[in-house]
Structure formats: C-alpha cells, structure tokens
Amino acid sequence: MTALSVLLDKPIRDPQGEEVARLRDLVVRSLAADNGSAEQTEQTEHAEHAEHADDADHTDVYPPVTGLVARLNARHGARDLFIPWDQVRRMGTDGADLAVPAINVERFQRRGDELVLRESLFDRQVVDVEGRRVVRINDLDMSENSGQWYLAGVDISTAALLRRAGGTWLEQKLAALLGREPENRVALIDWADVVAIADNDPTEGGAVRLRVRRDKLEMLHPTDLARVVEQLTPQQGAELLSGFDDARAADTLEELEDEQQAQVLRAMDPERAADLLEEMEPDEATDALQSFSPQEAAELLRRMRREDADEVKELLSYSEDSVGGIMTNEYVAVPDWATARGVIAALRARARDEDDPLPAALPEIYIVDEAPVAGERVAGAAPEADGAAPAHHSATEPVPLNAEGRLVGVLALRDLLLASPESPLTDIMRLEPPVARPGDTARDAARIVAEDDLLALPVVDDTGRMLGIVTVDDAIDVILPGAWKKRTTRSFR
C-alpha cells in the first residue's frame, strides 16, 4: 500500500512526458451512510466516466478513485481542475501520466457524491470499530489493483504527520533515530473498520458522508460503544447514536456518566431524547434528568409516555443521595396466592409483549400481600366484617406481575424454575428479606447489598408496602469512584 501523502504534490504529465500540473488531491466515489444499508448514492457526472473494478464487494467497502484534482499554476493564479480517472494512464509515487494530450480547464467543484481525500479526511476524527476508540486521521493508505486505485486504510501514526510535514525524508530520519524501519507502519486501520463521525461544520462543506459497515458497529457491546461516545463531543455522540434503534441507543446511554448522558440527550432532537428516556431504566432516566434544569426536565417529561413519565417523576421526588434516589421502580411483584406454574406462565406471556416487556433487570421475584394496610380501604369495595375469609383465587387466574401490597417474601429465579409447578409461592419463597426505606442513605443500602451478597435490595415504606428495588450495579455506583461507575457487569440481566 502507498500513503496518500507520498502521492500528492507530484507532477501530472501529458502523453509526451511534459509536466502540465501538480497532483493536489484524489477524488473517490463517496459511499453514503444509510444506517447500515448497502444502498449506494446516485452516480454523478464525474463518476459516470470512471473505471470501476468488477469486484462489487471490494468497491462497496473500499472507495475507488474516480479522478484527480490537478493544481494548475497559470499566469493569473493557481486553479484546481478535475481530471477523470479514465483519462489517467497510470499513477505512482513519481506522479501521474495522462492518456490524453489536453485537460479540461474548467475549475474543479466537488459534487455531492464525491469525497476529496486530503480536503475531507486529513485530521478528521473517525471511529476505529476494532479498537473501540476514536482516532484522528494523519494519513490515508491507498491500494492499487490492476491499475485501479482504492482508499484502503487510515494511518494514525506520528510518523504520518512527519511525512506530511517534511516528506519521507523526515519520516526516515525519525525512524533512524528511534532504531525502527520506516516501512514498519503499525498504526494502520483497515478502511472496513472505520466509521465516520458526522461533522456539520459548514466551513468544510458539511458532513463527511461515507458508507459504513454498520453491522460491525452493531456488534459492539453497549459498554464498548459508550467508550466511543465518551471520546466524542455531545453533538458527535448524538449523531453516532442516531443510527441505532431506541433500545440500543438507550442501552449505550445507560453506560455513560449522568452528566454526559444529559449532554448527549441535549444535543438530540427533543422527541428523540424523550423516546430514549422512555427506553432507559427509570432510575437511569431519573439520573440523567437530574442534570437538566427543571424547565428542560419538565419539557422532556411532557413528551414521554404518561406511564413512563410518572415512574420517573416518582423517583425525582427523592433526594439524589437517598435510597429513593437510586432505586428503580421496574421490578416484578406477584401476589402471595400464586403458584410457580402461574408465575412462569405470566413471565412467558409478558416476554412476548413488545409494548410491555419485562424489566431489563430481573434479579428476583417479590411476593406481596395484596390485602389493604390496616385502616385502608380498597376503592369501591365494601367494608369486610371482622374475620371474613380472604378472597378466593382460581388456579387458572392470570397472575399479575405488577401486584401492589406489603412485601412478604422474595423468590430467586433458580428456586422458581426448580420448584414443582403446583407449589404455592408461600412454600418456596424466602421470608423476612432485608429491606431499606426510601429515606435511608444510599450508602447504607449499598452496605446491606455488599454484606448480604444481594443482587437487589427491596425498598418498602413504613407499612411494608413494596416501592422499588436497589440493584447491585446501582449499589456499586455508590461505592466506587466515578471513573468506575457504569462499568460493572450486570450479571443478572
């Protein structure tokens, strides 16, 4: 492969070998991004005259050169001209030889589906998918196959900067001082592993549009994707996440620090930001909204679904450093009259409901007594006589997974799966689990989680009514320093 900087500024010669211009830049066919689709942009007038390789897969990934930008030094000043690739006989490190005796003197203007390499990509930031990092392009690597040149890779090395500044001589001088071979270029990234970051700077002609292998980006774990977003500006992070569905983008946001979550959400369209807040766990959405002004938070809550907004509003009412401030109200609670078979059937049915999915965090099942607290009446119900028998529930009655009432026990998923299908939950649940109150300090809850080796700590009010849970990852967030937050393994998901 050949560095672009080695090809640039070399002579362009006519068929008689006379220099007619200098190679200012290379133009490639822009492979426009479309959220991972393979749809190509419409060919422009320049590209129609270009010679393309027969290997469609190769050109889908590695943009082919469609022409040269030639710098012509005329008496009235320099001007840049476009030379289509079909007028170029050969190109190498010594310059380019033309197949035609004359060149078009019309001034070069970039078209919408073209990428001018030096102008558009030098010093730009891109995502190295394999390295899970954001890198800056110091040079580009070009590959030649049967006379056709392609953009093949990105060079992020310091040597590439020296090469651009002083040519290969300076690169070789540094290599000699460091005791390395100058051709040992290890900081190369295959173009197939590069994802563009949108740059909406109007002075640079708008965003750099590239087709990207979105399938590779989709393979990154949300934690790795979050590490990439952390290295970007909020606007760039929002642009990068715009290519993902709401669930994937929300999972990535949840891995960011609270303040950065808010910054990226602010950079988005408000409707999109509200959609992602709906997808986020209520406690994570609450943390993000706490970094907004009250007016901004109220506007986003207004755009959210009523049910999701109400859950977040409830959590926002608690202090940030209290148990209520770190708990989530996304959990599964079932009535104490249910059986193992009924709960498993309800879980399976809920898992198939796209509009009301199971909570992402499902550490345990919480069993509650649906009877009203002493002195409390169920709306619309007549008072019961003392000693009245409890309501009878049929074995075939659907088991609600969002039951409300006093916490009476906890059931591990393992115990639920291993129990006899007809076993009442009261026979297999764990009694008197440790609990916290919403007004307790977050650090006290984290201590209980650590000491009792819990996956989650139930939170109840003064009457024992279930309010929420503090998951182990939120407890660790309280204990660990900020740099380690959001990086814990959520093994129960």
Side-chain angles (χ1 to χ4, degrees):
M1 289 191 289
T2 305
L4 175 61
S5 59
V6 175
L7 297 172
L8 296 178
D9 302 316
K10 298 295 174 61
I12 298 175
R13 296 175 287 267
D14 65 16
Q16 286 70 46
E18 296 292 328
E19 179 178 331
V20 295
R22 287 269 165 172
L23 181 57
R24 175 63 181 168
D25 216 330
L26 293 181
V27 180
V28 299
R29 187 177 71 224
S30 176
L31 306 176
D34 187 21
N35 292 340
S37 73
E39 179 178 313
Q40 295 193 13
T41 56
E42 182 181 352
Q43 298 285 325
T44 62
E45 180 181 335
H46 291 170
E48 287 175 354
H49 298 288
E51 295 177 358
H52 303 303
D54 293 333
D55 185 352
D57 291 337
H58 188 79
T59 58
D60 279 353
V61 178
Y62 304 102
V65 174
T66 60
L68 315 180
V69 178
R71 173 63 58 91
L72 181 65
N73 291 312
R75 182 170 52 184
H76 299 295
R79 66 165 57 191
D80 289 341
L81 313 174
F82 178 76
I83 302 177
W85 186 250
D86 61 0
Q87 297 181 12
V88 179
R89 182 169 59 83
R90 61 166 293 276
M91 182 176 69
T93 57
D94 61 341
D97 296 325
L98 300 181
V100 295
I103 58 177
N104 189 343
V105 295
E106 182 181 352
R107 189 179 296 275
F108 168 70
Q109 290 184 330
R110 182 175 60 178
R111 308 298 177 91
D113 67 342
E114 293 174 338
L115 196 60
V116 185
L117 297 185
R118 169 193 262 172
E119 171 191 325
S120 299
L121 294 182
F122 275 8
D123 301 320
R124 293 298 180 96
Q125 286 182 308
V126 291
V127 176
D128 169 16
V129 178
E130 290 297 318
R132 279 85 162 161
R133 56 181 174 164
V134 176
V135 296
R136 186 174 298 277
I137 299 176
N138 293 334
D139 205 344
L140 297 167
D141 261 50
M142 309 300 297
S143 174
E144 188 266 340
N145 182 16
S146 301
Q148 175 65 61
W149 285 80
Y150 302 88
L151 172 56
V154 166
D155 191 338
I156 62 172
S157 66
T158 304
L161 285 176
L162 296 173
R163 191 186 316 124
R164 285 170 52 190
T168 55
W169 176 88
L170 189 57
E171 179 189 11
Q172 291 170 348
K173 188 72 173 176
L174 178 64
L177 290 173
L178 298 177
R180 291 202 302 257
E181 292 294 327
E183 62 270 16
N184 183 24
R185 301 164 64 198
V186 295
L188 299 180
I189 302 171
D190 193 303
W191 188 252
D193 295 330
V194 169
V195 174
I197 301 170
D199 187 343
N200 295 319
D201 184 355
T203 64
E204 298 295 338
V208 176
R209 290 178 54 79
L210 306 170
R211 176 194 284 172
V212 300
R213 295 181 67 88
R214 184 65 70 172
D215 56 332
K216 284 201 169 189
L217 206 57
E218 290 280 0
M219 292 174 63
L220 291 184
H221 189 277
T223 301
D224 293 324
L225 197 54
R227 288 195 176 100
V228 171
V229 174
E230 286 173 345
Q231 301 170 61
L232 304 175
T233 66
Q235 183 63 46
Q236 289 173 332
E239 291 285 350
L240 188 67
L241 293 180
S242 67
F244 297 99
D245 60 32
D246 291 348
R248 176 79 165 169
D251 287 344
T252 301
L253 281 175
E254 288 181 354
E255 300 296 333
L256 298 174
E257 288 296 315
D258 302 340
E259 180 59 35
Q260 194 163 25
Q261 285 177 351
Q263 291 174 353
V264 174
L265 287 168
R266 274 196 195 94
M268 295 178 176
D269 175 80
E271 286 295 338
R272 167 71 165 167
D275 289 342
L276 297 193
L277 287 168
E278 291 172 354
E279 288 290 336
M280 294 170 67
E281 292 297 307
D283 57 326
E284 294 285 353
T286 301
D287 291 342
L289 285 176
Q290 285 173 337
S291 298
F292 284 81
S293 70
Q295 295 78 11
E296 290 174 324
E299 175 61 21
L300 288 173
L301 287 168
R302 185 186 66 80
R303 294 173 182 269
M304 292 171 62
R305 289 190 298 261
R306 177 75 173 272
E307 180 181 353
D308 296 313
D310 287 345
E311 290 180 343
V312 174
K313 287 177 183 177
E314 178 186 349
L315 298 180
L316 283 170
S317 66
Y318 297 106
S319 169
E320 288 186 56
D321 57 358
S322 69
V323 167
I326 65 169
M327 76 176 183
T328 177
N329 43 25
E330 284 281 298
Y331 59 91
V332 171
V334 297
D336 55 1
W337 51 260
T339 63
R341 182 194 300 277
V343 173
I344 292 176
L347 290 171
R348 288 174 176 169
R350 178 88 167 267
R352 293 190 293 267
D353 187 350
E354 296 182 359
D355 295 329
D356 187 22
L358 287 168
L362 188 59
E364 295 171 315
I365 305 294
Y366 301 95
I367 296 89
V368 299
D369 176 6
E370 291 183 309
V373 177
E376 183 179 57
R377 285 182 55 190
V378 178
E384 291 185 356
D386 292 340
H392 174 73
H393 295 276
S394 167
T396 59
E397 181 178 346
V399 176
L401 299 182
N402 56 351
E404 298 182 4
R406 292 170 294 194
L407 178 68
V408 295
V410 174
L411 180 60
L413 291 177
R414 181 179 184 275
D415 294 337
L416 174 65
L417 294 174
L418 294 179
S420 169
E422 307 308 324
S423 297
L425 297 187
T426 50
D427 289 350
I428 56 176
M429 67 184 184
R430 188 173 73 251
L431 298 173
E432 299 182 356
V435 297
R437 301 287 191 275
D440 295 346
T441 66
R443 187 160 292 275
D444 284 342
R447 177 182 54 77
I448 296 174
V449 170
E451 290 179 353
D452 290 14
D453 197 21
L454 302 176
L455 290 176
L457 175 66
V459 181
V460 300
D461 64 15
D462 291 338
T463 67
R465 185 178 294 274
M466 186 84 179
L467 297 177
I469 60 173
V470 175
T471 58
V472 63
D473 59 307
D474 288 324
I476 292 176
D477 279 355
V478 174
I479 300 171
L480 292 181
W484 287 91
K485 288 184 180 182
K486 314 290 186 180
R487 293 288 178 261
T488 55
T489 301
R490 301 179 181 185
S491 60
F492 51 82
R493 290 195 172 185

